[in-house]
Each structure stands twice: as C-alpha cells, then as structure tokens.
Amino acid sequence: MSGLVLERHRPTLPDLVGRRVAIAVAVLVALVAAAVLLLRSADPVDEYVQRSGLTFNFRYTRDLARLRSQGAEIVRLEQRRPGGLFVQSFAVEPLALPAYRGQIGGLLPVVSVAEQAALARRFRSFELVQEGKTSLNQVSGYAIVFRARLGARRLFGREILLPAPVPGSRRGVRLLLLATPSAGVNRAEDTGVRGVIKRPFRTFRFGTQAP
C-alpha cells in the first residue's frame, strides 16, 4: 500500500506513527538497560580482610551474613531463608601441614585422605564425588567435592586445601563451601559455581590487598 503513495505526499500518518513507535521502543530499551546496570552497580558488596596471622581477603554480597565462627573457623558467612532454613555457607579455616620434602603438590593428596575422613564424620551420608589438583587465583591447591545429607535435604560441598604460596610453607587455609538446592545448586560440582558463595570463593586471595 505504501508503494502507492507518491514521495511528494510523504511522510504519511502511518510513516510518522511508525517512526514515533520505533523511537519510543528504542528509548524504552535504553531505559531498561540503564536500570539493570544501576541495580547491578548498587549491589551492596562488603570486603573481608584478615590482617593477623596468615592474611587473606575476599569480597561478598550482603545476601551472606557474617556469623560467629564455629570451632577453628577464622570467618564464616551464611545464608538462610526466613524461618531459619539453611541455604548455603562459606567458611575459612586454618590449615596446618606436616613436614615434607619436595613439592607441595605431592603432599596434598595424602593430606586429603584425612580430610575426607573428617568430612565423613561431620556430614551424614558423605559421598565423595571427585577430588584432585586445583588452582584458585593462581595459587595451587587440592579440591574435595562431595555430597551428603542435611536432615532430609540434599547437601553439596566443596573443600579447598590451599597452602600459602610460599616455598616450603606449612600453613594455609581450608575453604569449605556448602550449598543446598535452595541456592540453585543441584549437583556437587556446582558448589561455588552457582549461588552467592561464588563471589567470596572466586575473589579469595592471600594478603590484604585485593587486585
């Protein structure tokens, strides 16, 4: 139909309406994109810095509450639903290593045997899913990935043995990440990959200075 209108009679009313709709849609898309960026930038993020002993730091959102440490823990973050339902947690514990010769990579698989036994005593229906060498922000470590039960609920976990990046060091940290399906985690391998504990896990670094 538009081909029947001579150019000297343009723009027609449909032409003007079409242009205005296109401009309005473009403006709306831009506003939505700006709102999303604003919400992301407003996401409240806190930083934890351990300044005594073996120093380290990480960042986390306020979806995670910092709670009183349990046992040997240095710091503990946890998320629960209203009513107290456990969702996920991130904890840092000190790691003491025995005397050894050679590379630390040869010691960690041996240490992990005792770690797995401790996890089996701590968590009901403990089942090892995978283990092996890993790296966190260019620091070599060892990962133990497992599943267990928290009452009637499924529980998934990832423990990282992370020695301090100093030759011959016998000190380090043990990172323990726990998650339930309520955190959007449906298999052990996704612990620390999904959910709000992903941020402190991925931003963990030795020292007091964040990159």
Side-chain angles (χ1 to χ4, degrees):
M1 186 68 179
S2 59
L4 300 179
V5 180
L6 297 176
E7 287 300 324
R8 64 173 179 271
H9 296 308
R10 290 184 180 279
T12 64
L13 181 59
D15 289 337
L16 293 173
V17 171
R19 290 175 189 173
R20 290 177 179 175
V21 170
I23 292 172
V25 170
V27 170
L28 180 60
V29 170
L31 289 174
V32 170
V36 170
L37 289 175
L38 182 61
L39 288 173
R40 287 180 178 176
S41 63
D43 186 23
V45 176
D46 285 335
E47 182 179 21
Y48 178 87
V49 181
Q50 178 67 24
R51 299 185 183 278
S52 61
L54 187 61
T55 60
F56 60 84
N57 70 91
F58 59 81
R59 295 185 294 276
Y60 64 98
T61 65
R62 294 175 190 173
D63 295 310
L64 288 165
R66 184 179 166 192
L67 304 181
R68 177 177 296 179
S69 301
Q70 300 178 5
E73 292 175 346
I74 301 172
V75 60
R76 179 180 183 80
L77 305 177
E78 193 172 285
Q79 182 187 36
R80 289 182 179 268
R81 296 281 188 240
L85 183 71
F86 175 82
V87 178
Q88 54 195 321
S89 65
F90 173 85
V92 183
E93 303 173 358
L95 175 66
L97 298 170
Y100 63 94
R101 293 180 180 179
Q103 299 297 318
I104 187 67
L107 174 67
L108 293 180
V110 179
V111 173
S112 76
V113 175
E115 292 291 327
Q116 291 174 43
L119 290 169
R121 291 191 296 270
R122 181 175 177 181
F123 298 107
R124 186 170 67 86
S125 301
F126 172 87
E127 182 182 352
L128 178 67
V129 173
Q130 64 182 34
E131 62 173 312
K133 295 179 180 179
T134 189
S135 178
L136 182 60
N137 293 320
Q138 300 182 338
V139 176
S140 298
Y142 199 86
I144 301 170
V145 180
F146 63 93
R147 51 178 166 253
R149 305 294 296 186
L150 183 63
R153 304 168 66 207
R154 290 181 294 164
L155 180 69
F156 304 110
R158 181 184 300 271
E159 181 176 284
I160 305 293
L161 307 178
L162 202 65
V166 178
S169 176
R170 294 177 56 187
R171 295 198 304 165
V173 295
R174 180 189 293 107
L175 307 181
L176 181 60
L177 293 79
L178 300 174
T180 65
S182 298
V185 176
N186 293 301
R187 59 177 192 153
E189 296 89 334
D190 288 339
T191 309
V193 177
R194 300 178 182 274
V196 294
I197 58 174
K198 175 181 176 180
R199 188 187 293 265
F201 177 46
R202 294 297 177 86
T203 60
F204 181 93
R205 284 174 172 82
F206 285 110
T208 59
Q209 297 296 321

